[in-house]
Amino acid sequence: MAATLEGLLPELEVIRKDFPILARTVAGGLPLVYLDSANTSQKPQVVIDTMVDHLERHNANVARAMHQLGAESSEAFESARDRVAAFIKAPSRDEVVFTKNASEALNLVANTLAWARGPLAVGEGDEVVITEMEHHSNIVPWQLLTERTGATLRWFGLTEDGHLDTSNIVDLITERTKVVSLTWVSNMLGTVNPVAEIARRAHEVGAIVVVDASQAVPQIPVDVVASGADVLVFTGHKVVGPTGIGVLWGRRELLEQLPPFLGGGEMIETVTMQRSTYAGIPHRFEAGTPPIVEAVGLGAAVDYLDHIGMENIHRHEQAITGYALDGLATVPGLTVLGPLQATQRGGAISFELDGVHPHDVAQVLDARGVAVRAGHHCAKPAHQRYGVQSSTRASSYLYTTPAEIDALVEALEYTRSYFKVG
Amino acid sequence: MSTDLDAMYQEIILDHYKNPLHKGLRDPFQAEVHHVNPTCGDEVTLRVQVADGLVSDVSYDSVGCSISQASASVMADLLIGKPVEEAMAVHESFLALMQGRGSVEPDEDVLEDGIAFAGVAKFPARVKCALLSWMAWKDATAQALEEKP
């Protein structure tokens, strides 16, 4: 059955060889079954080599050093920006801002909006709309913004089957709404949200649309303009890139109106003791020495994904997710949280196992070499919505095989027998 | 393969997990605390009553994994009825065991069923689970003693 699974990447075994960590074993000499890619993805050799090569041969600060190495490093750094811009189909490379991670990118938007004057200003009587399925990083910055400005935070609720409840969209997104911020793909429920539809309503009332695409960019071909977003953020380490690098894409007209975020080197045009003027985008939002080698690694990562093809990766994810949902359905006492059709969701599958706490599930799975995540996945409100304290989450990626899903299902059966449930 | 796993999931632990002792919040109490493990969301609400220098009651309500639940059960059973000073010494002994990374030999005379947690100490990610209710108890007891010097 597994061998004939439609949609799998045809050269899966070759792809797996690109990821050296997949060849290692874990305690007890067991093969590693890595099903925690929604947490962080593994890195292909080309990303590792590109970063090592940069450090070995081209290391210098960027945009400051007037020597050959400085030119090479700046070229590598800015070329990574070009690659990322092309990867997400950004109309201009200047619209791509490098940050530390997706959280910093979201905080950048929320903070600069708190400081904005004029039409972008957020104040008393204004509203910010988020959803109940957000990662904490797309909740807390907006709580801080509304607390600091006196604005009101509102949110979309969720339906029983794990979708956004958009039935009250007209009452929720009104002329008072200044910002609508939502996740494209839920990191807990896996749900793919109707971003374009919500963006349409938000734009009717003149609100800015911020999209957390941390779980979407790894799995779905992304065209930032077609998405409907005004700002879209994601993190490098979930797209086979390194940690320490995130991306904020924003429409040029919007980014140009936002005040600076962090002050410092590189973000200025000129500085006197009295005042400063600021660089244009994207550098205005990149104070200080940026994460250079991380950006270079991210450039190699998106090149790698482009080479395999995001359409193909998406098909693979859907095939594996469908296979996993089928497999999990055979485990007695197991309940999947979120949509049950692979076509309506991403590759992160959170579930409960009757009678065994998620920590204990993850512990027993780990003893079988199967790496998953257990806890609230930084989405406590979404767990609370479904009356669940915590869950176990298995998440696949382009290197995941049906045999690994079989290993997960088998290990879950073992977990049930270990804890003597059923 | 599962020797470490079996060392952690001792029968005693699984028994306490399935049939926790002293669970449920009770009156009277001098102090109530609520502790959470922010990484996993495990929670405990714990009450302490101190009378005549004795830990006269420890009651709790909690959600979490087998280790955190069993630990609360073992702790309550161990500490109820003990003089506060002796209970504090038991606490210290359990803390030392859990923070010993598997190198501390537990004293069964002091820790009784608590020695079953020795295997947990080898799993750094789970030490916090085992300590959740113990930390809550220390906090609540300190508050109870302030309340009633």
Side-chain angles (χ1 to χ4, degrees):
Chain A
M1 176 183 175
T4 61
L5 201 56
E6 205 181 319
L8 283 192
L9 283 164
E11 296 190 319
L12 191 48
E13 281 314 310
V14 180
I15 286 169
R16 286 181 66 81
K17 290 205 169 67
D18 291 338
F19 292 80
I21 206 167
L22 299 180
R24 70 161 282 181
T25 55
V26 291
L30 294 164
L32 169 69
V33 176
Y34 187 76
L35 293 174
D36 199 18
S37 290
N39 204 351
T40 196
S41 63
Q42 295 303 347
K43 322 303 174 198
Q45 192 69 53
V46 64
V47 168
I48 299 164
D49 288 351
T50 302
M51 292 175 75
V52 169
D53 178 67
H54 185 86
L55 291 171
E56 282 181 349
R57 295 174 47 80
H58 310 291
N59 181 54
N61 210 331
V62 294
R64 295 159 174 77
M66 295 300 134
H67 42 65
Q68 186 182 335
L69 293 188
E72 288 173 9
S73 193
S74 299
E75 165 65 21
F77 179 71
E78 290 302 334
S79 146
R81 196 189 308 276
D82 290 332
R83 291 161 176 197
V84 169
F87 184 67
I88 58 174
K89 301 193 169 51
S92 162
R93 68 183 308 279
D94 295 341
E95 296 176 337
V96 173
V97 176
F98 285 131
T99 62
K100 182 172 68 181
N101 47 36
S103 295
E104 189 186 61
L106 290 165
N107 278 277
L108 187 160
V109 187
N111 276 273
T112 54
L113 283 170
W115 302 326
R117 295 290 171 265
L120 290 178
V122 177
E124 269 179 50
D126 293 331
E127 294 178 352
V128 172
V129 175
I130 59 174
T131 87
E132 210 175 356
M133 70 166 78
E134 298 308 312
H135 187 283
H136 295 164
S137 62
N138 202 25
I139 297 175
V140 183
W142 304 111
Q143 289 175 339
L144 291 170
L145 167 66
T146 50
E147 282 164 13
R148 285 167 179 164
T149 59
T152 303
L153 186 67
R154 303 182 69 190
W155 52 88
F156 282 100
L158 309 180
T159 63
E160 276 308 308
D161 60 351
H163 290 279
L164 274 190
D165 179 4
T166 53
S167 60
N168 60 343
I169 186 169
V170 177
D171 299 323
L172 202 52
I173 302 178
T174 68
E175 62 288 343
R176 289 187 299 280
T177 310
K178 300 297 290 262
V179 184
V180 177
S181 187
L182 77 161
T183 187
W184 189 334
V185 178
S186 161
N187 74 310
M188 177 221 165
L189 299 165
T191 318
V192 181
N193 286 323
V195 170
E197 177 194 324
I198 289 166
R200 219 166 12 251
R201 171 62 188 166
H203 289 149
E204 274 171 20
V205 299
I208 295 165
V209 176
V210 179
V211 174
D212 175 2
S214 299
Q215 298 290 343
V217 172
Q219 303 182 26
I220 300 176
V222 168
D223 177 328
V224 285
V225 175
S227 76
D230 297 297
V231 173
L232 180 143
V233 311
F234 66 98
T235 191
H237 70 94
K238 296 191 204 286
V239 289
V240 307
T243 54
I245 183 86
V247 172
L248 181 154
W249 169 83
R251 274 195 308 109
R252 176 184 287 275
E253 308 81 72
L254 175 62
L255 290 185
E256 283 177 341
Q257 287 177 64
L258 288 174
F261 177 43
L262 303 177
E266 187 62 13
M267 56 78 71
I268 53 93
E269 186 180 59
T270 187
V271 175
T272 65
M273 289 314 291
Q274 288 73 36
R275 59 184 300 275
S276 302
T277 55
Y278 309 114
I281 61 166
H283 300 108
R284 178 195 300 178
F285 297 109
E286 294 178 355
T289 294
I292 301 166
V293 71
E294 289 81 357
V296 170
L298 177 59
V302 299
D303 267 2
Y304 178 83
L305 295 181
D306 254 342
H307 177 72
I308 292 168
M310 285 309 297
E311 289 286 355
N312 299 330
I313 292 170
H314 182 54
R315 262 197 302 279
H316 181 83
E317 279 285 283
Q318 296 249 293
I320 288 287
T321 304
Y323 187 71
L325 287 168
D326 288 348
L328 292 175
T330 66
V331 180
L334 188 145
T335 313
V336 169
L337 300 160
L340 294 174
Q341 293 82 34
T343 52
Q344 294 176 7
R345 60 177 300 147
I349 306 177
S350 300
F351 57 85
E352 289 183 284
L353 188 62
D354 267 357
V356 193
H357 189 275
H359 273 187
D360 298 318
V361 174
Q363 193 83 58
V364 179
L365 261 50
D366 187 48
R368 311 279 283 190
V370 180
V372 296
R373 184 167 173 184
H376 51 60
H377 319 310
C378 301
K380 282 189 96 164
H383 277 85
Q384 212 159 26
R385 162 65 181 80
Y386 295 103
V388 177
Q389 190 241 349
S390 65
S391 60
T392 309
R393 183 183 73 183
S395 54
S396 54
Y397 205 18
L398 75 159
Y399 37 68
T400 305
T401 67
E404 290 182 301
I405 300 299
D406 294 342
L408 167 70
V409 171
E410 188 271 332
L412 285 167
E413 294 283 8
Y414 176 75
T415 305
R416 293 187 73 246
S417 66
Y418 193 88
F419 281 95
K420 303 183 179 70
V421 291
Chain B
M1 174 188 69
S2 53
T3 33
D4 274 0
L5 201 62
D6 292 340
M8 174 158 65
Y9 291 119
Q10 302 271 321
E11 279 303 323
I12 298 174
I13 290 183
L14 297 178
D15 285 349
H16 277 278
Y17 175 46
K18 292 201 167 148
N19 302 298
L21 305 172
H22 311 288
K23 194 167 175 168
L25 294 171
R26 287 181 296 277
D27 290 315
F29 64 97
Q30 286 144 339
E32 176 181 297
V33 298
H34 181 73
H35 279 213
V36 300
N37 181 344
T39 41
C40 63
D42 283 5
E43 299 186 32
V44 62
T45 303
L46 186 137
R47 292 176 176 178
V48 168
Q49 173 77 357
V50 176
D52 304 327
L54 295 180
V55 180
S56 57
D57 197 19
V58 178
S59 67
Y60 62 96
D61 188 25
S62 58
V63 277
C65 64
S66 60
I67 303 298
S68 72
Q69 300 306 290
S71 179
S73 170
V74 167
M75 178 195 74
D77 201 44
L78 204 50
L79 302 188
I80 292 173
K82 279 205 166 55
V84 173
E85 260 178 44
E86 192 185 332
M88 285 290 182
V90 175
H91 178 279
E92 284 305 310
S93 174
F94 189 76
L95 193 63
L97 173 64
M98 295 319 299
Q99 293 176 341
R101 295 191 164 264
S103 65
V104 173
E105 195 58 45
D107 183 345
E108 186 165 8
D109 292 338
V110 177
L111 292 176
E112 300 176 24
D113 277 4
I115 62 163
F117 291 86
V120 177
K122 288 186 202 134
F123 295 84
R126 303 303 293 276
V127 168
K128 269 193 194 170
C129 307
L131 287 177
L132 181 67
S133 56
W134 289 81
M135 293 306 186
W137 174 79
K138 194 180 182 190
D139 185 10
T141 304
Q143 289 183 26
L145 293 174
E146 272 173 33
E147 187 97 348
K148 230 181 181 185

